[in-house]
Amino acid sequence: MNIEYKFFLSYALVLISMYIIYKEKIGLEKDVLISSIRAFFQLLILGYALIYILKLSNPFELTLILFFMILFATFTAQRTVKIYDGYKIAFLSIFLSSFIIIGILVLLGVLQLKANEIVPIGGMIIGNALNAYTQTIERFRNDVKNNLDLIEAFLAVGASLKEAEKIQIRNSIKAAMIPILNNLKTLGIIWIPGITAGMVLAGADPLQAVFFQLVIMYSMLSVAVFTSYFATNLSYKKILWSL
């Protein structure tokens, strides 16, 4: 069967999901439809763009590509979980966490300033920062909303706002950590990463493929921690204005 037919048949999964979302009145069927169609066109553009992107060697050009990814992630984050001054908070959280992780990897020599390394791995790091940010802020906002009485009680006895929201901040960071921790716990047993499998199939040494995948996984873990930390510390004063 041609890949084109497989693609159209696989879209039945999206339609089934949309039906369940509609039936249960979750209210996300429009987002699922638009996102799934947008993903197709974005990947189509990327497929052709990579031919040129992977030929780049100028560090400034590679940095610009990463910066564009961060701007797009910022826009997506604020559209997903809208909070007061959200663009600024999202940008700083994703930018700081992503460039700290990428910078450390480059300085240690683990990652080289080459397009075939910095663009895909940088994209994974930024994408995971986006996920961590939205999970953190969504949980933080809901927890603060559901515990306003408790927060007010802490404030009434002289606690600072950050101290009053300490429990909510801690729970929000934990929520952002759950997906990556599940991946680490099941890595190689349930979850078989595409990069490892692809490198082995391409003839790479299995040990090299494993080490490369672990670099990515440890980066994902770190960026989730950094992003959720920055997100809560930058938003704890303004989250109340978003309820």
Side-chain angles (χ1 to χ4, degrees):
M1 184 182 293
N2 293 335
I3 189 65
E4 293 85 357
Y5 291 107
K6 291 181 180 180
F7 161 72
F8 286 116
L9 289 175
S10 68
Y11 199 76
L13 298 173
V14 177
L15 296 176
I16 294 170
S17 300
M18 286 175 56
Y19 171 74
I20 295 173
I21 291 170
Y22 173 77
K23 183 180 178 182
E24 296 299 321
K25 303 186 186 303
I26 297 173
L28 290 175
E29 58 271 12
K30 183 179 178 181
D31 285 343
V32 171
L33 176 63
I34 294 174
S35 298
S36 61
I37 294 174
R38 190 173 76 177
F40 166 74
F41 287 104
Q42 286 176 180
L43 279 178
L44 189 64
I45 293 170
L46 175 65
Y48 290 100
L50 278 176
I51 298 173
Y52 304 98
I53 292 174
L54 294 180
K55 293 179 181 179
L56 298 176
S57 58
N58 189 314
F60 179 73
E61 293 174 334
L62 297 175
T63 303
L64 280 180
I65 292 174
L66 295 178
F67 190 73
F68 171 77
M69 290 180 180
I70 289 173
L71 289 178
F72 192 78
T74 300
F75 174 78
T76 304
Q78 177 61 6
R79 289 286 299 273
T80 304
V81 284
K82 295 180 180 179
I83 61 170
Y84 181 80
D85 212 11
Y87 284 110
K88 178 182 176 182
I89 295 170
F91 174 78
L92 289 174
S93 300
I94 296 171
F95 172 79
L96 291 173
S97 60
S98 298
F99 267 82
I100 286 173
I101 302 303
I102 295 171
I104 290 173
L105 292 178
V106 172
L107 288 174
L108 293 177
V110 177
L111 193 62
Q112 299 183 51
L113 284 173
K114 296 180 179 179
N116 64 335
E117 292 188 23
I118 202 75
V119 173
I121 296 178
M124 292 179 194
I125 291 171
I126 294 168
N128 205 63
L130 167 62
N131 291 335
Y133 175 84
T134 53
Q135 289 166 343
T136 300
I137 294 298
E138 180 71 18
R139 176 63 180 269
F140 191 26
R141 184 176 60 185
N142 289 337
D143 275 11
V144 169
K145 182 178 180 180
N146 294 331
N147 293 278
L148 281 176
D149 292 342
L150 179 62
I151 293 171
E152 289 173 354
F154 277 115
L155 293 173
V157 296
S160 66
L161 181 58
K162 189 173 183 180
E163 290 172 338
E165 295 178 351
K166 188 173 182 179
I167 296 174
Q168 290 71 40
I169 290 174
R170 187 185 297 123
N171 290 339
S172 301
I173 295 175
K174 284 182 179 179
M177 297 299 301
I178 290 174
I180 184 63
L181 287 176
N182 285 339
N183 287 341
L184 285 173
K185 291 173 183 176
T186 60
L187 186 64
I189 298 176
I190 297 175
W191 183 46
I192 302 175
I195 290 178
T196 302
M199 289 180 68
V200 171
L201 289 173
D205 183 273
L207 195 59
Q208 182 185 12
V210 167
F211 283 159
F212 192 72
Q213 184 64 56
L214 285 175
V215 167
I216 295 173
M217 293 306 301
Y218 295 156
S219 300
M220 299 298 103
L221 173 67
S222 298
V223 80
V225 174
F226 276 105
T227 304
S228 55
Y229 173 80
F230 287 131
T232 50
N233 279 274
L234 289 170
S235 66
Y236 76 91
K237 290 183 178 178
K238 298 177 180 179
I239 200 75
L240 292 170
W241 302 352
S242 307
L243 302 180

